[in-house]
Amino acid sequence: MEKNIFARLIAQQLNLQERAVGNTLALLDEGCTIPFISRYRKERTGGLDEVQIAAISNQYERLKEIQKRKETIIKTITDLDKMTPELEKRITDSWDANELEDIYLPYKPKRRTRAQVAREQGLEPLAKILLLQRERDPERAALSQLSTLHSQLSVADAIKGAQDIIAEMVSEDERSRQQLRGAFRRQAFITSKVVKTKADTDEAAKYSDYFDWEEPLKRCSSHRLLAMRRGESEGILRISISPDDDECIERLQRHYVYGNTPCGKLVAEAVEDGYKRLLKPSIETEFAALSKEKADDEAIRVFAENLRQLLLGAPLGQKRVMGIDPGFRTGCKVVCLDAQGNLLCHEAIFPHPPVNKRMEAAMSIQKMLKKYQIEAISIGNGTASRETNDFIRDVLAGRYDISSSQREGEVPQVFTVSEDGASVYSASKIARDEFPDEDITVRGAVSIGRRLMDPLAELVKIDPKSIGVGQYQHDVDQTKLKISLDQTVESCVNNVGVNLNTASQHLLMYVSGLGPTLAKNIVDFRKENGAFTSRAQLKKVPRLGPAAFQQCAGFLRIPNAKNPLDNSAVHPESYAIVEQMAKDQNCTVSDLINHKEKREAIDIKRYVTTEVGIPTLTDILKELEKHGRDPREQIEEFEFDSRVNTVDDLIEGMELPGIVTNITNFGAFVDIGVHQDGLVHISQMANRRIAHPTDVVKLHQHIRVRVIEIDRRRNRISLSMKGLS
C-alpha cells in the first residue's frame, strides 16, 4: 500500500507514468542497480533513462525519510496525549516536509521560551482575552486575571507575558508561516555586507564583489550564492535574506488585529514582536537552507556533468606511452609504460631553469623513446607544462645534435593531459599498493601516462572531488555530492564496459552489482586461474551469486572470447535470442555480427515474448552492429600557439587555440598555454542566447578563442568564442 502511494506521488512529481515508476521501485527494492535497470529492463520501466531512474531513486529515499519523520511526530504527539483523529489524518495525508513541521511545531519539545514562562505563570487565559479584543480595558482584564491567580505579578508584566504567548502563537500558526513563505518566495532579497574589520585584508579581496551586494533571492545564481556563503563561513561577509518587513508585518496584523482598540494595539505589538523575534528568523533560516540546497544541487549537477565528460574522454588505447610530470626546480619526472600500462622505467630530467641540463635531458628522452619504442607522450598540464611541451617537440623535431641516439620509425604524438588529482592518487593507498617501491613523484607520472591511455580506468582511482572539475565542490552538501559523483562514475564505467581480464580492482568496483569485495575476488580468481574465457566463469568466483551475476555480466567484456557475445553489451540472459536469430538466418552469431545484410533481414517482431519486447530486441541489434566498439570519441593531438607563452605575450584581439579545462554555470575556463586559464563568459560563447555553457562546449574540447580583455593586476583573461569555429 505504502509503495503504491510512493509510486503515485513520484509519478506526479516527475511527470512520469505511475506504472513505470512502480515497476522501477520494485526493481530498486530487488537490489537492481540504476545502470542495469536502464539498460536491461526497458520493458518494465517504459524505457526510462538513467537520469529519470536516479531521480525516482532520490525521490523514493526522500519519501521514506518523510515517512519515518511522520512516525516520530505521531508518536511524540500521542505520548503527550494530544493526538486526535483529525490531527493524525492530517499528518498521515501530508507529504510536504514544511507542512509536517508546521503541524508539529506547537507540540514540538523546545527550550524554555518566554511564552512558556508566561504559560507557567497562568497567563494563557489573558492572552486569549487580548486576542479576542472584546475588552475595552486590557489592564482591568489583566488585574482580574492576576486576582484569580493570586499572582504577585504587576499588571504591566502580566500584559507583557500575555503578549509573549500571542507572539509565539503567531509564529507557530500554519497560515502565518505559509503567508510569510509566500512573501519570501516573491520578494525576498539576499544581502551581503563585508565585516568592517576584514575589509582591507588580503583574504577578503577575492570577495570584493560582495562587500555591498543585494539582489532578489530568486534570481541569485548558484555560484554567487555559494561564493557569498563561503565568505560568510570565513567570517568575511554577513549574509541576510529578507522580504519587505513593513509589508509582512502589516499583512499579519490585518489577520490578527480587528480594530484600533486598546487590546488591538497590544495584539499589534505582539504580532510585530512575534514576526521580528520568532517568525522571520525561522523562515529566513528555512529559506537560507532551501536556497543553499538549490545552489548545492545546481553545483553538484554541473560537477557531475563535468566529471562525466572527463571520464568519457577519448582514450588513446593500448599504446606504449611516455608519461611526464613537468617541473622547473625539481625537474620533470619521466616514466615509460608498456601497452598495458605497466611501468618499465623512470627517470628525472632537468631541461628547465635553474638547472638547465637541456642537452642531457634531450639525450635521455631520445634514449627512452628508442629503447621502449614509445608511441605517444603524455605531459601533465601543471607547472612547466608549456615549457616541457615545447622542449619535447624540439627533441622530436631533431633540434638537438644527438644523432647517435635518434629513434627510427614514426614520431610519437604529444598530448597534454589534466594533472588534477594526480598528487592525491600518488599519495593514496591504491597507488602504494600498485607501486610499493616507488616514490610519489613516479606514481604521479604513471597516472599522467595512464590517463592518456584510458582516462576512465585511471581516474576512477581518485576521489572525484579531487579531480578539479567542480564549482565550490567543498562547500556543497558532501553526502549529496558523494552520491551524485558515485552514480556518475558508475554510469560512465557501465556505459563504456569493462575488460574483465585487464580491469583493476578499483575499476571493477564500479561495475553494476559488484563492489569492493567481489571486485577483489574477481582479481584474485584471475591471478589464480588465468584469464577468463567466458562470462559464465564468473559464477565460479567466490561469493558471486546469481543476483550479482545478473547485475554485472552485461557490463563485463572478454575480447577474443569463444562466444563473441561475451565481448558485447548483450546480456547472457539474451544469448538464446541471438542464437535463434542466427539459426533463422542459417548462419553463426559471428556471421550476424560481421554481415550487415543478415542483421537487416531479421524481423525482430518474431522474437517478442512476454518478457522480451521491442526495446530489448532493438538494443540487441544495435549492439551486434557496433560489437566490441568503444563508445568514446577518438583522441586528437593539440598544439598551443607558438607566439604566446605567458600573459605578457597576449594582445587584445589575438585569436588562439585552447582546451576547455572547466565548465561552470557562468562560462568555461580555457587553457591557452600561458599558465593562467582564461574565461569565456556565457555571453561570449555564441551569437545567440544559450541556456548553459554545455550547450556549446564540453570538457577538454579543442576550441578557438579571441582575447578580449587582459586584467594583469588580478591575473584575469577574458576570452570570446563569437564568430570563431
Side-chain angles (χ1 to χ4, degrees), residues 424-436:
V424 174
Y425 161 76
S426 60
S428 69
K429 183 179 184 301
I430 298 167
R432 291 196 303 273
D433 290 344
E434 283 192 283
F435 303 103

PDB file of all heavy atoms in Angstrom, residues 424-436:
ATOM      1  N   VAL A 424      46.914  13.495  -5.454  1.00  0.00           N
ATOM      2  CA  VAL A 424      46.066  12.763  -4.499  1.00  0.00           C
ATOM      3  C   VAL A 424      46.212  11.262  -4.733  1.00  0.00           C
ATOM      4  O   VAL A 424      46.374  10.482  -3.787  1.00  0.00           O
ATOM      5  CB  VAL A 424      44.588  13.191  -4.659  1.00  0.00           C
ATOM      6  CG1 VAL A 424      43.683  12.336  -3.775  1.00  0.00           C
ATOM      7  CG2 VAL A 424      44.428  14.663  -4.310  1.00  0.00           C
ATOM      8  N   TYR A 425      46.181  10.866  -6.009  1.00  0.00           N
ATOM      9  CA  TYR A 425      46.366   9.445  -6.331  1.00  0.00           C
ATOM     10  C   TYR A 425      47.732   8.952  -5.855  1.00  0.00           C
ATOM     11  O   TYR A 425      47.841   7.892  -5.233  1.00  0.00           O
ATOM     12  CB  TYR A 425      46.235   9.214  -7.835  1.00  0.00           C
ATOM     13  CG  TYR A 425      46.858   7.900  -8.289  1.00  0.00           C
ATOM     14  CD1 TYR A 425      46.212   6.691  -8.063  1.00  0.00           C
ATOM     15  CD2 TYR A 425      48.122   7.882  -8.890  1.00  0.00           C
ATOM     16  CE1 TYR A 425      46.799   5.492  -8.440  1.00  0.00           C
ATOM     17  CE2 TYR A 425      48.711   6.692  -9.270  1.00  0.00           C
ATOM     18  CZ  TYR A 425      48.048   5.494  -9.038  1.00  0.00           C
ATOM     19  OH  TYR A 425      48.632   4.309  -9.385  1.00  0.00           O
ATOM     20  N   SER A 426      48.795   9.720  -6.147  1.00  0.00           N
ATOM     21  CA  SER A 426      50.152   9.243  -5.868  1.00  0.00           C
ATOM     22  C   SER A 426      50.403   9.025  -4.379  1.00  0.00           C
ATOM     23  O   SER A 426      51.274   8.233  -4.003  1.00  0.00           O
ATOM     24  CB  SER A 426      51.184  10.214  -6.441  1.00  0.00           C
ATOM     25  OG  SER A 426      51.038  11.498  -5.873  1.00  0.00           O
ATOM     26  N   ALA A 427      49.631   9.720  -3.527  1.00  0.00           N
ATOM     27  CA  ALA A 427      49.795   9.540  -2.078  1.00  0.00           C
ATOM     28  C   ALA A 427      48.763   8.572  -1.494  1.00  0.00           C
ATOM     29  O   ALA A 427      48.746   8.337  -0.279  1.00  0.00           O
ATOM     30  CB  ALA A 427      49.675  10.894  -1.382  1.00  0.00           C
ATOM     31  N   SER A 428      47.919   7.988  -2.344  1.00  0.00           N
ATOM     32  CA  SER A 428      46.828   7.140  -1.857  1.00  0.00           C
ATOM     33  C   SER A 428      47.273   5.699  -1.613  1.00  0.00           C
ATOM     34  O   SER A 428      48.326   5.268  -2.096  1.00  0.00           O
ATOM     35  CB  SER A 428      45.684   7.132  -2.882  1.00  0.00           C
ATOM     36  OG  SER A 428      46.094   6.442  -4.058  1.00  0.00           O
ATOM     37  N   LYS A 429      46.441   4.963  -0.890  1.00  0.00           N
ATOM     38  CA  LYS A 429      46.724   3.541  -0.631  1.00  0.00           C
ATOM     39  C   LYS A 429      46.714   2.754  -1.939  1.00  0.00           C
ATOM     40  O   LYS A 429      47.505   1.813  -2.113  1.00  0.00           O
ATOM     41  CB  LYS A 429      45.691   2.969   0.327  1.00  0.00           C
ATOM     42  CG  LYS A 429      45.950   1.512   0.704  1.00  0.00           C
ATOM     43  CD  LYS A 429      44.903   0.988   1.675  1.00  0.00           C
ATOM     44  CE  LYS A 429      45.225  -0.437   2.106  1.00  0.00           C
ATOM     45  NZ  LYS A 429      45.309  -1.392   0.988  1.00  0.00           N
ATOM     46  N   ILE A 430      45.832   3.135  -2.860  1.00  0.00           N
ATOM     47  CA  ILE A 430      45.769   2.436  -4.145  1.00  0.00           C
ATOM     48  C   ILE A 430      47.114   2.517  -4.850  1.00  0.00           C
ATOM     49  O   ILE A 430      47.638   1.517  -5.345  1.00  0.00           O
ATOM     50  CB  ILE A 430      44.669   3.061  -5.030  1.00  0.00           C
ATOM     51  CG1 ILE A 430      43.300   2.916  -4.360  1.00  0.00           C
ATOM     52  CG2 ILE A 430      44.631   2.410  -6.412  1.00  0.00           C
ATOM     53  CD1 ILE A 430      42.226   3.770  -4.997  1.00  0.00           C
ATOM     54  N   ALA A 431      47.700   3.740  -4.887  1.00  0.00           N
ATOM     55  CA  ALA A 431      48.996   3.923  -5.554  1.00  0.00           C
ATOM     56  C   ALA A 431      50.099   3.180  -4.811  1.00  0.00           C
ATOM     57  O   ALA A 431      50.988   2.586  -5.430  1.00  0.00           O
ATOM     58  CB  ALA A 431      49.320   5.411  -5.645  1.00  0.00           C
ATOM     59  N   ARG A 432      50.040   3.212  -3.485  1.00  0.00           N
ATOM     60  CA  ARG A 432      51.068   2.499  -2.694  1.00  0.00           C
ATOM     61  C   ARG A 432      50.988   1.000  -2.945  1.00  0.00           C
ATOM     62  O   ARG A 432      52.013   0.316  -3.018  1.00  0.00           O
ATOM     63  CB  ARG A 432      50.903   2.804  -1.201  1.00  0.00           C
ATOM     64  CG  ARG A 432      51.233   4.237  -0.825  1.00  0.00           C
ATOM     65  CD  ARG A 432      51.430   4.399   0.675  1.00  0.00           C
ATOM     66  NE  ARG A 432      50.275   3.981   1.445  1.00  0.00           N
ATOM     67  CZ  ARG A 432      49.249   4.758   1.741  1.00  0.00           C
ATOM     68  NH1 ARG A 432      49.228   6.019   1.321  1.00  0.00           N
ATOM     69  NH2 ARG A 432      48.234   4.315   2.469  1.00  0.00           N
ATOM     70  N   ASP A 433      49.765   0.491  -3.069  1.00  0.00           N
ATOM     71  CA  ASP A 433      49.607  -0.943  -3.342  1.00  0.00           C
ATOM     72  C   ASP A 433      50.110  -1.296  -4.743  1.00  0.00           C
ATOM     73  O   ASP A 433      50.679  -2.364  -4.957  1.00  0.00           O
ATOM     74  CB  ASP A 433      48.126  -1.342  -3.216  1.00  0.00           C
ATOM     75  CG  ASP A 433      47.646  -1.308  -1.770  1.00  0.00           C
ATOM     76  OD1 ASP A 433      48.509  -1.277  -0.861  1.00  0.00           O
ATOM     77  OD2 ASP A 433      46.423  -1.302  -1.550  1.00  0.00           O
ATOM     78  N   GLU A 434      49.886  -0.393  -5.702  1.00  0.00           N
ATOM     79  CA  GLU A 434      50.335  -0.636  -7.083  1.00  0.00           C
ATOM     80  C   GLU A 434      51.853  -0.521  -7.217  1.00  0.00           C
ATOM     81  O   GLU A 434      52.485  -1.307  -7.924  1.00  0.00           O
ATOM     82  CB  GLU A 434      49.666   0.362  -8.032  1.00  0.00           C
ATOM     83  CG  GLU A 434      48.231   0.048  -8.366  1.00  0.00           C
ATOM     84  CD  GLU A 434      47.727   0.883  -9.527  1.00  0.00           C
ATOM     85  OE1 GLU A 434      47.434   2.072  -9.326  1.00  0.00           O
ATOM     86  OE2 GLU A 434      47.635   0.349 -10.645  1.00  0.00           O
ATOM     87  N   PHE A 435      52.427   0.475  -6.535  1.00  0.00           N
ATOM     88  CA  PHE A 435      53.868   0.745  -6.665  1.00  0.00           C
ATOM     89  C   PHE A 435      54.495   0.936  -5.283  1.00  0.00           C
ATOM     90  O   PHE A 435      54.871   2.050  -4.898  1.00  0.00           O
ATOM     91  CB  PHE A 435      54.093   2.000  -7.521  1.00  0.00           C
ATOM     92  CG  PHE A 435      53.487   1.923  -8.880  1.00  0.00           C
ATOM     93  CD1 PHE A 435      52.309   2.593  -9.170  1.00  0.00           C
ATOM     94  CD2 PHE A 435      54.085   1.164  -9.885  1.00  0.00           C
ATOM     95  CE1 PHE A 435      51.739   2.521 -10.424  1.00  0.00           C
ATOM     96  CE2 PHE A 435      53.517   1.084 -11.148  1.00  0.00           C
ATOM     97  CZ  PHE A 435      52.335   1.756 -11.417  1.00  0.00           C
ATOM     98  N   PRO A 436      54.599  -0.152  -4.521  1.00  0.00           N
ATOM     99  CA  PRO A 436      55.110  -0.020  -3.142  1.00  0.00           C
ATOM    100  C   PRO A 436      56.569   0.427  -3.068  1.00  0.00           C
ATOM    101  O   PRO A 436      56.988   0.979  -2.047  1.00  0.00           O
ATOM    102  CB  PRO A 436      54.940  -1.439  -2.579  1.00  0.00           C
ATOM    103  CG  PRO A 436      54.913  -2.332  -3.781  1.00  0.00           C
ATOM    104  CD  PRO A 436      54.255  -1.536  -4.853  1.00  0.00           C
TER     105      PRO A 436
END
